[in-house]
Amino acid sequence: MKLINKTRRSYILYSIIIFIMSSAVIYFIFKNIVTKRQDEKLLRDKDIIEQRIKYDYPLPIFDVEDFKAKNPVKDTLYYKDTLMYQIVKGVENYELYRQLTSVETLQGRTYKIITRSSLVKNHEFILAISLSVGIVILLLIITFFFINTMVFNQLLKPFNKNLNSLKNFSVEKNKSIELEQTDIDEFKIFNDSVSKLTEKLRNDFTNLKEFTDNASHEMQTPLAIMQTKLEYLMQSKNLKHEEKKLISDIYSASKRLSKLNKTLLMLSKIDNQQYSNKEEIDINEIIVEQLEIFEDFISNKKLKVIKKLKPDVKIEANPMLFDTIISNLIGNSIKHNVKGGTIEVVTDDLFIMISNTGIELKTDSDKIFERFKKESTASDSFGLGLAIVKKICDVHDWKIKHTFTDQMHHFTIYF
Amino acid sequence: MKILIVEDEKDLVDVTCKYLKKEDFVCEFAYNFFDAEDKLITYNYDIVILDINLPDGSGMDLLKIIKKQSPSTGVLIVSARNSLDDKLKGLDLGADDYITKPFHLAELNSRVKSLIRRQKFKGQDSITFHEIEIDPTAKTVKVNQEAIELTRKEYNLLLYFITNKDRVLTKESIAEHLWGDSIDMADNFDFIYTHMRNLRRKLKKKGATDYLQTIYGLGYKFGD
């Protein structure tokens, strides 16, 4: 939920409560005031009537009856609201009245004086006032709502902009993050922290990148020296059988190490997006080229190659990485093939499939793309080939899938 | 023969590589100092075509590395700079020839070939080892004056053995020399046997002595 909606929601909720409460309070206050005034008026009327009775003035239109109560209640004086039946313009209805009843003995006679005043007008008056006050409050609330939204958006504008640049920030892009300046303290602190953090991230990333490159590069030198010296040692005459075996073992171990070094460097270079330039590539051209490179491996294992290539399929990719994908997959299809088996390469607008005869995997299909995963521990490979393939697919937003049907492994890349 | 091109103009590398591949060279390339240094440390080359001006370093420093590591590697300096200084400095440091950009690929090819002749064949037009005679220009092989039919790989294999006679060559270095640097990612080099066996068979058939020895566990040696 957006911050503005969150504040809007609580704003509306509180506004409704305040609106209802203030309307009720206003209504009761006004009602109280008006009732009080009315009661005073009723009391005054009663006093006038009393005075008139006392001094024998005629009472104008009122009916005067002797109040002959069985138990005359002395000194009664009470107010109450009562409904009176009446016919106004031929329509029967009941109207609410305020009524003051007083029982008093004046000059030896007991009078019950009832003064009434219609409450309808008062009610209308109170409602009108409450309503207009309510409307004013409502208008205020609505106005504040829009002002609030406006101000909020205004204030959040630089923040949202910065949020966007943070979202688009990438350590690989070798560019500092650009933040919009603001005079709000909280945002200033936020901007400062983000700038510092991203700068540190960029530095660390560059350092790491350089370190990996350099470490790999520097590791290559002693390895090459080892290999050169070993090759030199091989030239010496009169080497004993065991010595030859030892030299051979050290030599292949050092070769393996430099191969691992190269592979890891490649993985880190892909991670660091050092192969980000893309070109239009003719898929079939690369496949034919790679099959040619592997020609000797293929004929050595007496493999049959079936090519089902759709002509003129072009994709956008990094040429170096695409070579690597095809080379790794074809290399694998030879390595894990059986003698006299088949390799099938199918290309289409949306996919490449490279298949080979082989035995079923013992592990899960998805697991084979993990680093250092390999089927047989006896194998000379590191289990990095498919990890590289997966990584390259990820970089290009392609999907790769492994399936096994009819004694064939299929690796399919969907573009 | 394996060639390394060190040059930062990718298009030029592309064109040169294609041309040299057609001329039956194994061609490797590096676009900058860093990669070139990596490659020179790790692999061996017969010829290095070296641009003096690289984005991240000077070709002169690479020249020093080459001469220190493998003095038998021929170095051909390429530069747009027509300065005499560069030329002299390069040659002083051990460069074998010099070519100025822009150049014709045919000229580059001729210079490379003549460099190989000087560097590997002691300036002769043909190499002879007892009854075996190789003509590198025509790419033909004769045994006892009789022409022998070899495939491209077999010919290159024989040439590599003869130019490195009496040396133990590992399967790895043979593969790298004939198939290129990336072959070191392969898990086994059994495919060499086939070519080796065929070469042996063809030479024997024409009456040549079997000079090819298998050195247990290490590799092969061509020699007496």
Side-chain angles (χ1 to χ4, degrees), chain A residues 54-90:
Chain A
K54 238 182 221 168
Y55 300 106
D56 261 345
Y57 286 135
L59 292 167
I61 39 168
F62 300 107
D63 296 327
V64 180
E65 281 175 40
D66 277 338
F67 181 66
K68 289 172 185 145
K70 281 173 188 162
N71 301 304
V73 191
K74 290 276 168 98
D75 301 326
T76 318
L77 185 76
Y78 62 90
Y79 296 94
K80 75 168 191 191
D81 292 342
T82 177
L83 277 174
M84 296 286 290
Y85 174 78
Q86 61 181 32
I87 301 168
V88 181
K89 288 174 190 169

Side-chain angles (χ1 to χ4, degrees), chain A residues 217 235 248 259 262 296 335, chain B residues 38 43 168 179 187 195:
Chain A
H217 186 70
Q235 309 310 326
S248 161
K259 194 166 123 183
K262 266 176 79 174
D296 288 291
K335 201 192 302 172
Chain B
D38 240 9
Y43 307 107
V168 178
W179 277 268
D187 288 326
H195 296 287

Side-chain angles (χ1 to χ4, degrees), chain A residues 158 162 178-184 187-188 191-192 195:
Chain A
N162 291 344
E178 271 168 29
L179 296 175
E180 184 119 337
Q181 289 311 313
T182 127
D183 51 2
I184 300 165
F187 289 170
K188 260 190 205 161
N191 283 359
D192 276 357
S195 296

Side-chain angles (χ1 to χ4, degrees), chain A residues 45-184:
Chain A
D45 286 350
K46 187 212 75 167
D47 286 346
I48 291 168
I49 293 166
E50 272 179 15
Q51 291 303 315
R52 284 189 175 243
I53 291 171
K54 238 182 221 168
Y55 300 106
D56 261 345
Y57 286 135
L59 292 167
I61 39 168
F62 300 107
D63 296 327
V64 180
E65 281 175 40
D66 277 338
F67 181 66
K68 289 172 185 145
K70 281 173 188 162
N71 301 304
V73 191
K74 290 276 168 98
D75 301 326
T76 318
L77 185 76
Y78 62 90
Y79 296 94
K80 75 168 191 191
D81 292 342
T82 177
L83 277 174
M84 296 286 290
Y85 174 78
Q86 61 181 32
I87 301 168
V88 181
K89 288 174 190 169
V91 181
E92 295 180 37
N93 67 345
Y94 288 91
E95 221 181 274
L96 194 62
Y97 276 82
R98 183 77 176 162
Q99 170 176 306
L100 171 69
T101 312
S102 84
V103 178
E104 249 165 285
T105 311
L106 299 164
Q107 294 169 324
R109 287 179 72 179
T110 305
Y111 291 90
K112 181 180 185 182
I113 302 167
I114 298 173
T115 46
R116 281 190 205 104
S117 163
S118 173
L119 274 178
V120 175
K121 275 197 187 116
N122 290 350
H123 258 275
E124 278 168 5
F125 177 65
I126 291 164
L127 273 180
I129 286 188
S130 303
L131 210 65
S132 44
V133 173
I135 285 170
V136 170
I137 291 173
L138 199 66
L139 277 176
L140 269 176
I141 286 172
I142 291 169
T143 320
F144 274 128
F145 179 80
F146 285 111
I147 290 174
N148 189 33
T149 309
M150 217 172 69
V151 171
F152 203 85
N153 280 337
Q154 193 88 37
L155 290 178
L156 277 190
K157 213 171 163 186
F159 178 78
N160 282 332
K161 226 172 163 179
N162 291 344
L163 215 59
N164 226 10
S165 28
L166 195 61
K167 215 162 68 186
N168 294 328
F169 173 75
S170 149
V171 274
E172 291 99 10
K173 273 185 194 151
N174 202 23
K175 215 176 105 196
S176 313
I177 191 164
E178 271 168 29
L179 296 175
E180 184 119 337
Q181 289 311 313
T182 127
D183 51 2
I184 300 165

Side-chain angles (χ1 to χ4, degrees), chain A residues 370-394:
Chain A
E370 288 171 15
R371 289 181 187 190
F372 298 106
K373 257 299 172 256
K374 46 189 176 180
E375 265 292 283
S376 57
T377 41
S379 147
D380 251 1
S381 65
F382 301 112
L384 284 171
L386 283 176
I388 287 183
V389 169
K390 178 85 178 28
K391 181 123 268 164
I392 297 173
C393 284
D394 289 348

